[in-house]
């Protein structure tokens, strides 16, 4: 029996309007009611998904969790208690930021409790607003105020997939700190500490809960989800997943994220 479900949000659980469908909500609540743990496993901040947790009945609940920042932090929902982090050092964040600025690429810096964005396009502003993501706009290149904050990851945004791939290949060669490089949402290339990924964080949380890997379902759509799909006993790609994710998954849903793909998987595999 599956006891833990880890699930990506954007383009997996959330529909095209960045909402959780009633069908998904109902299936998730039924799984939790039978004693399961449903854990959003997202590249975003845990603070940016509080409304989603509220809808699912998980807000401020003890023994329920979020994995945030692509595995950069594990958080218990009750009190938003941070249980573990895998941060990047300031010098690496600053170096990647300087490279991006020289390439005229926009992006985000995620501190543990704050998001900083530079040069977002109108489309990017709309994308963040649709998801209720709060951020501070960076207006100059002085990042010294970040030195004393735990820094989870830095991501670059470009609509050109070839350019994202080029940045993902070139930047790790220019910095000393080993990086985990992933892609998400058809718009971002993301850089975490090499110790941070969704799969490692999933297994770390599962061990804390006394749950075996073969008792885990992982659902996702993009390359930053591959680690958790490979780590779980059952890896699931939604129908709109990339070819790489579909190839790695044990099951590909008939439905896409806009048509309650998560509920399809939960009803097929996880409900009594």
């Amino acid at each position: 029996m599956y006891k833990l479900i880890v699930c990506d949000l954007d383009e997996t659980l959330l529909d095209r309007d960045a909402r959780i469908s009633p069908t998904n909500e109902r299936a998730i609540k039924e799984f939790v009611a039978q004693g399961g743990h449903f854990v959003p496993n997202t590249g975003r901040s845990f603070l940016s998904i509080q409304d989603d947790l509220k809808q699912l009945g998980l807000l401020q609940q003890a023994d329920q969790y979020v994995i945030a920042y692509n595995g950069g932090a594990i958080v218990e929902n009750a009190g938003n208690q941070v249980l573990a982090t895998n941060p990047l050092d300031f010098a690496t964040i600053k170096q990647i930021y300087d490279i991006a600025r020289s390439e005229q690429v926009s992006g985000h810096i995620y501190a543990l409790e704050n998001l900083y964005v530079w040069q977002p396009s109108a489309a990017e502003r709309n994308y963040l607003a649709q998801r209720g993501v709060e951020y501070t706009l960076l207006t100059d290149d002085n990042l010294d105020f970040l030195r004393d904050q735990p820094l989870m990851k830095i991501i670059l945004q470009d609509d050109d997939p070839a350019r994202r791939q080029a940045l993902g290949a070139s930047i790790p060669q220019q910095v000393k700190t080993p990086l985990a490089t992933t892609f998400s949402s058809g718009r971002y290339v993301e850089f975490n500490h090499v110790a941070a990924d969704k799969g490692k964080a999933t297994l770390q949380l599962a061990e804390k809960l006394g749950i075996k890997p073969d008792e885990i379902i992982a659902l996702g759509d993009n390359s930053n989800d591959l680690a958790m799909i490979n780590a779980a006993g059952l890896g699931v790609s939604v129908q709109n997943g990339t070819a790489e994710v579909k190839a790695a998954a044990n099951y590909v849903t008939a439905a896409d994220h806009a048509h309650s793909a998560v509920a399809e998987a939960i009803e097929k595999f996880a409900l009594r």
Side-chain angles (χ1 to χ4, degrees):
M1 184 179 73
Y2 293 106
K3 299 178 180 179
L4 170 63
I5 296 175
V6 289
C7 185
D8 178 54
L9 294 184
D10 296 307
E11 288 79 50
T12 298
L13 175 61
L14 305 183
D15 65 18
R16 294 189 181 100
D17 296 318
R19 295 175 180 171
I20 301 171
S21 72
T23 303
N24 279 341
E25 177 185 343
R26 183 166 55 251
I28 290 165
K29 287 182 174 178
E30 191 170 343
F31 175 71
V32 173
Q34 70 182 31
H37 290 86
F38 182 86
V39 177
N41 197 339
T42 178
R44 289 203 263 144
S45 164
F46 61 97
L47 295 174
S48 74
I49 67 168
Q50 298 298 296
D51 288 344
D52 297 318
L53 295 178
K54 183 177 181 180
Q55 180 180 347
L56 296 175
L58 301 175
L59 182 69
Q60 292 298 316
Q61 293 299 301
D63 200 33
Q64 296 291 345
Y65 305 87
V66 170
I67 297 172
Y69 311 116
N70 287 336
I74 300 173
V75 182
E76 184 171 6
N77 296 346
N80 285 324
Q81 180 183 357
V82 178
L83 304 180
T85 60
N86 290 295
L88 275 171
D89 60 279
F90 172 79
T92 299
I93 291 282
K94 182 64 164 63
Q95 187 176 2
I96 296 172
Y97 172 80
D98 288 341
I99 293 169
R101 292 280 285 161
S102 70
E103 297 281 347
Q104 297 185 327
V105 176
S106 64
H108 309 175
I109 296 171
Y110 285 82
L112 184 60
E113 296 187 355
N114 299 287
L115 170 60
Y116 303 92
V117 177
W118 72 91
Q119 293 182 316
S121 65
E124 180 69 356
R125 289 175 186 266
N126 290 337
Y127 185 85
L128 295 173
Q130 186 184 47
R131 285 153 180 77
V133 177
E134 296 183 0
Y135 60 89
T136 298
L137 191 65
L138 294 174
T139 56
D140 61 51
D141 291 339
N142 185 356
L143 302 184
D144 285 346
F145 70 96
L146 292 176
R147 287 183 181 276
D148 297 326
Q149 296 190 52
L151 302 174
M152 298 296 103
K153 68 171 185 173
I154 180 169
I155 72 176
L156 309 184
Q157 190 273 317
D158 197 287
D159 293 333
D160 182 354
R163 196 173 191 203
R164 290 196 302 273
Q165 290 288 336
L167 291 165
S170 66
I171 286 177
Q173 298 177 8
Q174 299 177 63
V175 302
K176 293 181 179 179
T177 301
L179 299 174
T181 305
T182 55
F183 300 86
S184 67
S185 299
R187 61 195 299 114
Y188 300 124
V189 54
E190 311 204 4
F191 301 101
N192 283 80
H193 192 281
V194 72
D197 67 44
K198 290 185 175 186
K200 291 171 185 171
T202 293
L203 295 179
Q204 186 177 357
L205 177 59
E207 184 177 9
K208 169 185 167 55
L209 298 175
I211 294 172
K212 301 173 184 177
D214 62 5
E215 297 173 322
I216 303 171
I217 298 175
L219 299 103
D221 73 287
N222 216 316
S223 76
N224 64 333
D225 302 317
L226 278 170
M228 68 174 178
I229 284 173
N230 288 326
L234 180 68
V236 177
S237 171
V238 293
Q239 182 57 230
N240 54 287
T242 65
E244 184 181 24
V245 171
K246 286 181 175 178
N250 305 108
Y251 178 76
V252 178
T253 62
D256 65 10
H257 73 112
H259 297 90
S260 303
V262 169
E264 177 189 327
I266 292 175
E267 290 166 0
K268 184 175 180 66
F269 296 109
L271 297 184
R272 293 185 185 130

